[in-house]
DNA sequence: GCCAACGTTGGC
DNA sequence: GCCAACGTTGGC
């Protein structure tokens, strides 16, 4: 699963629009509609086998809800080649969602982009260490 | 619902 | 190239 050279990401979605449960139901989905150049450039770097934290934005509370996998290398949006689409697959929903407050409270995650004020980037790279830390937190029951 | 932070657009 | 106006994101 953790192949050499694989990368880790965080992808945001509003659960009212598309949640981890929707992904669980669908198994895979095309991650489309990203209209931010920085986020697009990160999508372009996504490779099959990469893992992504599935983040629920505009949620109560905002949280990392689970893990998705990149199941196919990114490709230009056929409708609008300026933008990029990537296919993501369901991996798991955390037994316990890891809230933004908890991310902020963890000193080991102080560099995590999503904890920074005003961080609106909807696709972000995450270090392996941060990914493991959050995945471990999601496993723990309270 | 409010508003701060950020991105984009377009006049100059 | 600057910057004001506007639109969007997303926490609270």
């Amino acid at each position: 699963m953790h192949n050499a050279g694989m990368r880790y990401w965080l992808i945001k979605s509003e659960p009212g629009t598309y949640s981890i449960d929707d992904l669980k139901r669908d198994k895979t989905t095309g991650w489309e509609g990203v209209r931010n150049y920085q986020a697009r450039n990160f999508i372009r770097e996504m490779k099959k086998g990469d893992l992504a934290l599935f983040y629920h934005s505009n949620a109560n509370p905002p949280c990392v809800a689970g893990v998705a996998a990149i199941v196919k290398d990114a490709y230009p949006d056929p409708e609008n080649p300026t933008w990029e689409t990537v296919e993501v697959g369901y991996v798991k929903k955390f037994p316990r969602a890891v809230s933004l407050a908890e991310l902020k409270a963890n000193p080991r995650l102080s560099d995590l982009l999503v904890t920074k004020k005003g961080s609106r980037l909807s696709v972000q790279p995450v270090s392996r260490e941060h990914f493991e830390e959050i995945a471990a937190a999601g496993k723990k029951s309270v």
Side-chain angles (χ1 to χ4, degrees):
Chain A
M1 161 98 97
H2 297 249
N3 307 315
M6 67 173 291
R7 298 187 63 183
Y8 302 87
W9 309 93
L10 181 145
I11 55 178
K12 293 183 187 174
S13 183
E14 302 195 16
T17 304
Y18 198 84
S19 71
I20 188 82
D21 291 320
D22 293 324
L23 183 59
K24 184 175 186 180
R25 178 198 63 217
D26 296 343
K27 309 290 188 249
T28 67
T29 194
W31 208 259
E32 359 183 89
V34 172
R35 292 292 181 269
N36 171 285
Y37 287 102
Q38 213 182 337
R40 180 203 63 184
N41 293 342
F42 286 132
I43 289 179
R44 279 187 177 155
E45 296 176 20
M46 289 178 166
K47 295 287 178 195
K48 184 180 176 183
D50 288 358
L51 292 177
L53 298 166
F54 196 112
Y55 182 84
H56 280 173
S57 61
N58 264 314
N60 248 319
C63 61
V64 178
V67 178
I70 309 307
V71 297
K72 188 177 159 192
D73 292 2
Y75 54 94
D77 187 327
E79 302 287 303
N80 189 346
T82 302
W83 303 106
E84 203 82 358
T85 302
V86 72
E87 210 74 15
V88 304
Y90 175 77
V91 175
K92 66 176 156 190
K93 179 181 179 178
F94 287 152
R96 190 180 63 88
V98 185
S99 72
L100 178 60
E102 190 177 346
L103 298 178
K104 285 181 173 173
N106 187 337
R108 282 194 288 272
L109 299 176
S110 58
D111 292 334
L112 191 71
L113 227 53
V114 80
T115 62
K116 308 282 187 207
K117 192 180 179 191
S119 168
R120 292 170 27 180
L121 194 57
S122 60
V123 176
Q124 320 182 348
V126 172
S127 74
R128 176 180 158 85
E129 290 72 21
H130 287 165
F131 182 93
E132 301 291 356
E133 179 78 17
I134 296 165
K139 276 180 203 160
K140 289 179 202 154
S141 44
V142 199

